[in-house]
Amino acid sequence: MEDRRTLFRQLHQNPGTFIIPNPWDVGTARILAAMGFPALATTSAGMAFSMGIAEGLAPREDVLAHCKALVEATPLPVSADLEKGFGDSPASAAETVVAAAGIGLAGCSLEDHTGDRRQPIYDFNHAVERIEAAAQACRSLSHDFILTARCENLLWGRPDLDDTIRRLQAFGNAGADVLYAPGLTDIDTIRTVCAAVSKPVNVVMGMPGATFGATELAEAGVKRISVGSALARLAFGAFVRAAREMQAHGTFRFSEQAMGFAELEGFFTGEAKT
């Protein structure tokens, strides 16, 4: 376990950019590991969809059980998308880190989205206090743990880049190891954000809007690239299109695009050709 956590830290310190894809269950985690990705991150939305619920509604015990299953599924380090954590207070942010570390995660992300659509973003000072408490909890652990701090402005109708950068800078100063502002849709803005902060930056691809390649993102200063719920949405989209074809037309052409049984099984038997 310690080697995984050490590896995760090294991935953020090594030169270059790395992709951290987001599985939503044990099977997809094992496929991504077999393909050679260096680390994995959970997706709160993908997890929720796999449970048949909306994002943000999974109970704490279900979230931790899901994350623990992904930690145990492969030898790779896993970082968890824990949304705002298990409460609103700084103390709850610290508790979230301790709980996450206790199930073997190599890191987690905490965001400044409140979960309340009427007041979606925590006040600046409160948001910083939460990250500061989480970072102190990280330092109290007997092993390494990567804390990612997320500013959710751009996803909740607050396209204020200055405030987003101000929050990311404050989160970094409060002790966050990685900074993340989902919703950046142009490369110049990504470059501006990366240049404005002193900690590694995670950028998510696969959201609506512009999608850039790993080379472009690396040149802009991005350290880590995730895809959030994109892989889960891709898979669920294919499933729904197939079901609609059966329902509307009584045909089964979708099966022509399905992966062969032996090829898929190979990911779980160690015989996959990637």
Side-chain angles (χ1 to χ4, degrees):
M1 193 71 70
E2 188 62 31
D3 288 345
R4 285 199 247 184
R5 290 161 170 158
T6 301
L7 170 62
F8 200 45
R9 174 72 65 180
Q10 289 173 345
L11 286 171
H12 293 84
Q13 294 174 339
N14 292 343
T17 301
F18 69 98
I19 298 172
I20 182 168
N22 304 76
W24 64 93
D25 62 11
V26 168
T28 51
R30 288 180 174 161
I31 289 171
L32 292 168
M35 295 184 71
F37 287 97
L40 303 173
T42 72
T43 159
S44 60
M47 175 198 68
F49 300 154
S50 72
M51 295 176 177
I53 60 176
E55 185 180 21
L57 299 184
R60 167 186 167 142
E61 57 271 22
D62 289 353
V63 172
L64 290 175
H66 169 80
C67 293
K68 188 172 187 290
L70 294 195
V71 167
E72 295 174 349
T74 84
L76 298 182
V78 179
S79 181
D81 171 3
L82 296 181
E83 301 175 87
K84 69 175 183 178
F86 304 128
D88 297 299
S89 68
S92 72
E95 178 193 356
T96 298
V97 165
V98 173
I103 59 170
L105 287 161
C108 75
S109 63
L110 293 176
E111 57 194 49
D112 61 2
H113 171 48
T114 64
D116 181 351
R117 292 179 179 271
R118 295 167 300 178
Q119 294 181 315
I121 304 296
Y122 288 117
D123 290 342
F124 177 85
N125 288 337
H126 186 66
V128 174
E129 288 171 1
R130 281 168 38 86
I131 297 303
E132 186 173 37
Q136 288 175 352
C138 289
R139 292 192 292 270
S140 74
L141 299 172
S142 61
H143 52 73
D144 208 348
F145 192 86
I146 296 287
L147 174 64
T148 298
R150 293 176 46 153
C151 174
E152 303 290 294
N153 274 347
L154 303 176
L155 299 186
W156 292 96
R158 294 175 50 142
D160 185 338
L161 184 61
D162 289 339
D163 183 62
T164 296
I165 290 174
R166 175 175 174 245
R167 284 172 177 261
L168 293 178
Q169 290 172 333
F171 294 161
N173 291 335
D177 299 294
V178 178
L179 304 173
Y180 181 12
L184 299 171
T185 57
D186 70 86
I187 202 71
D188 288 336
T189 303
I190 292 171
R191 186 177 293 108
T192 297
V193 168
C194 291
V197 300
S198 59
K199 298 291 181 69
V201 172
N202 182 99
V203 166
V204 62
M205 287 289 101
M207 295 177 64
T211 298
F212 308 103
T215 300
E216 293 173 275
L217 292 170
E219 290 173 349
V222 175
K223 170 55 67 175
R224 194 175 83 188
I225 306 167
S226 60
V227 293
S229 65
L231 292 174
R233 289 184 288 107
L234 177 68
F236 279 106
F239 176 89
V240 170
R241 286 191 295 274
R244 285 172 174 164
E245 180 193 339
M246 291 189 291
Q247 184 179 56
H249 306 291
T251 57
F252 308 90
R253 297 293 299 275
F254 67 86
S255 62
E256 297 171 2
Q257 303 299 317
M259 179 176 284
F261 189 94
E263 182 181 4
L264 181 55
E265 192 174 60
F267 285 107
F268 311 127
T269 61
E271 300 173 356
K273 297 179 180 179
T274 59

